Amino acid sequence: LVNAVTKLLADARLEAEVVPVSMEEIDGQALHEYSGDADCIFINVDLPDDEEVDQWYSRMDEQIEGLPTTIMVHSTIKTDILI
């Protein structure tokens, strides 16, 4: 996946570093350390069950507060991509 994203960025002539990080292993502070100076962050997210939406949203909102533009992507791949 990292190679695919790196190739996509090169093809688009974008200079970026792809840093795969598991959101299960990272908290909001570490996310800021990894990506606080990024221009844009892409995070793969699993959508919560209906009864957990409010709690999920609050947790994600806290983690990305103060970060640059953050795009949350729902997909079937279990790796988070921070660019």
Side-chain angles (χ1 to χ4, degrees):
L1 180 63
V2 171
N3 291 338
V5 173
T6 300
K7 182 179 180 334
L8 177 69
L9 291 168
D11 290 347
R13 298 182 184 164
L14 295 172
E15 292 184 29
E17 179 183 4
V18 178
V19 181
V21 178
S22 172
M23 290 299 288
E24 294 171 359
E25 300 171 8
I26 193 169
D27 59 18
Q29 180 180 351
L31 182 59
H32 283 258
E33 290 172 14
Y34 274 104
S35 301
D37 63 344
D39 292 318
C40 185
I41 304 166
F42 292 84
I43 300 176
N44 180 47
V45 296
D46 288 326
L47 298 178
D49 295 328
D50 289 343
E51 62 274 358
E52 298 173 355
V53 168
D54 291 338
Q55 182 183 21
W56 177 88
Y57 177 79
S58 294
R59 183 171 37 88
M60 291 305 295
D61 192 46
E62 287 176 14
Q63 288 185 345
I64 66 171
E65 183 177 352
L67 288 174
T69 300
T70 303
I71 300 170
M72 294 183 205
V73 180
H74 172 64
S75 70
T76 58
I77 299 171
K78 297 295 182 187
T79 303
D80 300 315
I81 303 168
L82 307 178
I83 299 176

